Amino acid sequence: MALPPLHAFKVFESVARLGSLSSAAVELHVTTGAVSQQLKALQASLDVELFSKHGRQLVLTPSGRRLQERVAKAMGEIAEAVGELHGTHAHREVTEITLSTPPFEGTEWLVSPLLRFMAESNSVKVTVVTAPNMAQVDWKRADIAVVYGAPPWPGYWWRLLHGIGMIPVCSPSFLGGPLAIHSAEDLAKHRLLHEDDGSQWKKWLAESGLKRTGFRDVHFEDFGLVLQAARDGFGVALSDEVVSARDLREGKLVCPLPSSVPATFNYYIVCTENMRERPEIRAFIDSLLKIVDKSV
């Protein structure tokens, strides 16, 4: 019989080790739905139940436990082989690249894959600097930039790194009591927090069938302050389930309403046209696109 894709076994091993779909999704930098689909496909392909559910915890069946032991061993051997290869080629010339990113508050989804790349790469040394937006990127220092904004940017090459779907997020205290949010109309009880000119909230409200009038709003120049104000119960912000994954997972933020709209601004990887022609820059960009993973 044909073997299922190797990635399916990687997803299975992560779920088996961590005991939940959501934890595996965070580790693999994909959505919980993507993890669930991979598991269902693997079980269907093998025609074997690998997990049973005990409350919220996923527990391996005897068949799942036997498979997990073999898969974990195989993954360990692959990691060891890759490590040996890196050691063999340690003499390779190291390429130094300076990457500009937005402040990491609000870009936690980028931090883990970027740090993993920096730790595992023996051929690329990455220096990270920060700039809030495209206008403030110091191109005398930066070779490449991750930018939160909207093209076009004349004279530059860009590629979508992470497309955002905006959902309301707020303090868990807004799930009950007199300020509880059960419908879009309940947002009138709260301040609407934003870092743009308010157009994103206007778009979200319009999609929900509401007009912008009658809603209070507060503007911050920094998206990190928007999220902190939402955590502290100062109002309701628009964020993304990946951008705010840690806050949502830890219960610092909740999503009271499921409606999502495409963001006006997204995260792009950007460099000058001339820089894009350098082979080492193209290779780094391709690596960054892969490790961030477009399925997030």
Side-chain angles (χ1 to χ4, degrees):
M1 98 183 231
L3 287 176
L6 179 62
H7 182 66
F9 289 108
K10 182 179 180 181
V11 172
F12 162 73
E13 190 279 331
S14 181
V15 175
R17 175 165 38 83
L18 299 174
S20 77
L21 299 179
S22 59
S23 297
V26 172
E27 179 178 79
L28 298 170
H29 305 287
V30 298
T31 63
T32 302
V35 171
S36 178
Q37 289 176 1
Q38 286 281 350
L39 277 186
K40 288 178 182 178
L42 179 62
Q43 293 186 131
S45 176
L46 299 176
D47 196 24
V48 173
E49 289 294 326
L50 300 175
F51 293 95
S52 60
K53 198 165 186 180
H54 290 193
R56 295 185 176 182
Q57 195 78 6
L58 289 176
V59 178
L60 288 165
T61 64
S63 296
R65 192 174 299 108
R66 288 195 297 272
L67 181 63
Q68 189 271 340
E69 290 172 357
R70 297 289 187 91
V71 170
K73 182 179 179 181
M75 292 293 182
E77 290 178 352
I78 292 172
E80 184 178 341
V82 171
E84 290 176 357
L85 286 175
H86 278 219
T88 301
H89 298 289
H91 63 280
R92 287 181 176 176
E93 183 179 349
V94 175
T95 300
E96 296 188 7
I97 293 176
T98 299
L99 173 68
S100 176
T101 73
F104 278 139
E105 175 67 31
T107 57
E108 288 89 349
W109 57 273
L110 175 63
V111 176
S112 293
L114 180 59
L115 292 179
R116 186 181 301 114
F117 176 86
M118 293 167 67
E120 295 176 354
S121 176
N122 288 324
S123 60
V124 180
K125 178 182 178 181
V126 182
T127 299
V128 179
V129 297
T130 61
N133 52 54
M134 181 65 173
Q136 297 184 45
V137 175
D138 183 357
W139 290 107
K140 293 181 179 179
R141 298 179 63 195
D143 300 307
I144 308 169
V146 172
V147 174
Y148 177 64
W153 295 297
Y156 293 89
W157 174 94
W158 62 86
R159 176 75 61 82
L160 181 66
L161 185 62
H162 172 42
I164 301 174
M166 304 298 276
I167 56 173
V169 294
C170 63
S171 165
S173 63
F174 293 164
L175 293 181
L179 296 179
I181 301 173
H182 300 300
S183 67
E185 288 81 0
D186 291 329
L187 292 174
K189 307 172 187 175
H190 300 277
R191 304 176 187 91
L192 304 185
L193 312 174
H194 57 90
E195 86 286 0
D196 63 358
D197 60 1
S199 58
Q200 188 66 66
W201 264 117
K202 184 177 180 180
K203 182 177 180 181
W204 190 94
L205 292 169
E207 289 287 335
S208 301
L210 298 175
K211 293 183 178 180
R212 184 69 178 83
T213 56
F215 290 88
R216 295 173 293 161
D217 65 294
V218 180
H219 173 260
F220 296 90
E221 288 190 351
D222 186 278
F223 184 60
L225 293 177
V226 172
L227 292 181
Q228 188 58 52
R231 295 185 197 106
D232 292 342
F234 189 71
V236 184
L238 285 176
S239 186
D240 172 79
E241 65 177 5
V242 175
V243 170
S244 292
R246 178 175 295 180
D247 282 335
L248 293 169
R249 185 173 69 253
E250 295 177 353
K252 296 178 181 178
L253 290 173
V254 295
C255 175
L257 303 171
S259 300
S260 173
V261 298
T264 303
F265 298 135
N266 288 287
Y267 287 96
Y268 293 85
I269 188 162
V270 184
C271 66
T272 64
E273 297 282 5
N274 290 337
M275 189 64 69
R276 171 65 179 165
E277 297 302 316
R278 290 171 49 182
E280 67 272 22
I281 296 297
R282 288 202 305 270
F284 177 74
I285 289 173
D286 290 343
S287 297
L288 189 59
L289 288 168
K290 288 177 182 177
I291 59 177
V292 168
D293 188 359
K294 289 186 178 179
S295 65
V296 298

